[in-house]
Amino acid sequence: MRKDRLYLFTFLAITVIFILIAGVAIRSFIKVSANQLLESQLESSKREAKEVATLVGFQLASGLDKDVVVQNVQESIENTNTENGFICMFDWSGREICHPDITRVGQQVSPNQSSVSSVNGDITPADFYDLLTNKRSFGGIRDFGEEQRESEIIYLYPVPNSDWIIGAHANLEKISNQIDGLRSKFYTIFIIMGFAIVLCSVIMVRLIGSSYEKRLEAKNQRLEDEVVNLAKLNKDLDKYQQRVIEARPQSQSKNTEKGRKRILTYVRNELKPISTEDIAYIFMESTITYVVCFDGSQSTSNSSLDELFSNLDETHFYRANRQFIVAISAINKIIKYGNNQLKILVDPNSEVDIIISKNRAAEFKQWLNT
């Protein structure tokens, strides 16, 4: 049950994070894409307005009658108002001379019908985007009183050799629909991508979690086995110590070289014989052999560990390593240490760790079972 809740919370956390990131990313992507679209539309409208103005000016300069020029322009632009952008022509008084919608010809163009205030006025894609989304002025004279306008004049260019002006219109509804289409595509892509990312993330978390749980269970099982083995080892230690105590009166009656009763040690310049029954452990440090008794007293010996161990009762003393000889009675507890090694805790405590290597661990366990 706890695992299911963990996976649920993971799913919710990844989903929330993705939604937050996607929300910021979508707005940025939409704005960048919309600006690219609007920049393309602006450049196209400006280029078309300049080309038409230049062509009209050339026809007038060639002596062509104004009525013929107006008729040619009207025929060329008629019914083009269904595209993203189109052009119209009006004079300096604001009267429409040519317009794709023939019903608009002759009508007066109000100043607030333009988003630019002068010929050759510049409008940026960012301004155009604000116009479409926020209906916000960007320096022109448009007051946006007519919310239902289908187009907006975004560029003005004068016709040479005349009092005419070419106005470039942007079909707001059509361009807005294209931007809405971009927005819908982005939302669709992010929803599909988000679902895939969240699903894959949850699956990966579940797979990684399952793998980790298996390793953890295996490790726990090994630890349980080691705990059982150590418990058994300490139990064997207690039994062996009990047998040693019970067999001590019999061993004391034997006076063999192998089971020497006393060893000779030094305390400074004083000779001090110590009964082997009083020895807790013997260790070597910096080529000096130290003998530690159960009462915590410490003395030194001129003999090496090998010499001392060869004269001690092996049922009572164990050579733990090159540095330590330990009496069975001094062993307080045996714990796991490192990689399959054992650590012996003694009483009185030793400042140096008494470690039995993994190569001698089996021998030590067998010694306790004898």
Side-chain angles (χ1 to χ4, degrees):
M1 185 64 182
R2 294 180 62 184
K3 295 179 184 178
D4 294 338
R5 292 181 62 185
L6 176 62
Y7 294 139
L8 175 62
F9 290 149
T10 302
F11 173 79
L12 294 176
I14 296 175
T15 302
V16 170
I17 292 173
F18 180 83
I19 290 174
L20 293 176
I21 296 175
V24 176
I26 285 177
R27 286 196 295 270
S28 299
F29 289 153
I30 290 175
K31 190 168 185 179
V32 170
S33 300
N35 282 341
Q36 291 178 348
L37 174 64
L38 297 177
E39 183 177 10
S40 175
Q41 181 61 43
L42 282 172
E43 292 300 323
S44 175
S45 297
K46 290 179 181 179
R47 184 171 58 252
E48 185 179 10
K50 290 178 181 179
E51 290 175 353
V52 172
T54 302
L55 179 61
V56 172
F58 177 77
Q59 290 179 352
L60 292 175
S62 299
L64 199 63
D65 186 72
K66 284 187 175 183
D67 293 337
V68 175
V69 173
V70 169
Q71 184 178 357
N72 290 339
V73 173
Q74 180 62 37
E75 289 178 354
S76 65
I77 68 173
E78 195 165 349
N79 296 323
T80 60
N81 54 343
T82 58
E83 301 173 1
N84 284 359
F86 59 91
I87 63 170
C88 68
M89 186 169 67
F90 50 89
D91 58 23
W92 283 97
S93 66
R95 184 177 63 87
E96 292 276 11
I97 299 175
C98 298
H99 195 281
D101 184 1
I102 192 66
T103 61
R104 296 286 301 274
V105 175
Q107 294 184 9
Q108 193 73 22
V109 179
S110 174
N112 66 0
Q113 292 179 350
S114 175
S115 294
V116 290
S117 58
S118 63
V119 295
N120 296 322
D122 197 16
I123 174 175
T124 65
D127 295 334
F128 201 172
Y129 187 77
D130 283 341
L131 168 66
L132 292 173
T133 56
N134 303 322
K135 294 295 183 181
R136 186 168 59 191
S137 176
F138 42 82
I141 57 176
R142 175 83 166 91
D143 63 4
F144 303 105
E146 303 176 28
E147 297 182 357
Q148 302 301 322
R149 285 184 60 82
E150 296 179 353
S151 66
E152 196 81 30
I153 297 176
I154 58 174
Y155 187 68
L156 298 174
Y157 195 80
V159 176
N161 306 314
S162 73
D163 62 345
W164 297 341
I165 298 174
I166 300 296
H169 283 256
N171 194 331
L172 302 184
E173 183 179 0
K174 200 169 186 65
I175 295 175
S176 296
N177 289 338
Q178 289 185 350
I179 294 177
D180 290 340
L182 283 174
R183 185 179 289 106
S184 299
K185 289 180 181 179
F186 274 119
Y187 277 118
T188 302
I189 291 173
F190 269 87
I191 289 173
I192 296 174
M193 185 173 63
F195 179 78
I197 290 175
V198 171
L199 182 61
C200 292
S201 299
V202 172
I203 292 175
M204 289 301 298
V205 168
R206 191 177 184 90
L207 291 176
I208 294 173
S210 298
S211 176
Y212 176 76
E213 288 170 2
K214 290 179 181 179
R215 292 198 301 268
L216 187 61
E217 289 176 0
K219 186 176 181 179
N220 289 338
Q221 185 61 43
R222 289 195 300 270
L223 288 175
E224 289 178 2
D225 294 341
E226 291 173 357
V227 169
V228 172
N229 292 334
L230 287 175
K232 183 179 179 182
L233 189 61
N234 282 283
K235 186 177 181 180
D236 293 338
L237 172 63
D238 293 337
K239 292 180 179 179
Y240 189 74
Q241 289 176 334
Q242 187 65 30
R243 289 200 303 269
V244 169
I245 293 173
E246 293 175 353
R248 184 171 297 172
Q250 298 178 4
S251 62
Q252 289 178 349
S253 61
K254 299 178 181 179
N255 187 15
T256 61
E257 186 67 21
K258 186 66 177 176
R260 182 178 294 179
K261 292 183 178 181
R262 290 180 300 276
I263 62 173
L264 187 61
T265 64
Y266 296 88
V267 178
R268 296 183 179 85
N269 295 324
E270 178 184 351
L271 289 174
K272 182 180 180 181
I274 297 177
S275 172
T276 55
E277 295 180 0
D278 297 330
I279 298 175
Y281 53 90
I282 306 171
F283 70 99
M284 177 176 287
E285 186 176 25
S286 300
T287 69
I288 301 175
T289 302
Y290 295 92
V291 179
V292 180
C293 296
F294 286 101
D295 60 3
S297 62
Q298 182 174 290
S299 56
T300 61
S301 173
N302 290 333
S303 302
S304 65
L305 289 183
D306 291 335
E307 293 173 343
L308 291 174
F309 185 68
S310 64
N311 293 319
L312 294 173
D313 184 359
E314 293 184 5
T315 60
H316 187 66
F317 290 92
Y318 181 77
R319 181 70 180 271
N321 49 45
R322 295 181 179 180
Q323 191 179 3
F324 273 90
I325 299 173
V326 183
I328 184 66
S329 304
I331 299 177
N332 187 27
K333 187 180 294 184
I334 303 169
I335 61 175
K336 184 179 180 298
Y337 183 85
N339 185 18
N340 296 325
Q341 296 176 326
L342 297 176
K343 181 178 179 180
I344 299 177
L345 302 181
V346 292
D347 186 19
N349 183 46
S350 171
E351 296 181 357
V352 182
D353 292 338
I354 305 175
I355 307 300
I356 297 179
S357 66
K358 62 180 181 180
N359 296 328
R360 302 199 63 181
E363 176 187 300
F364 178 67
K365 295 176 184 178
Q366 185 178 2
W367 178 70
L368 293 178
N369 285 322
T370 55

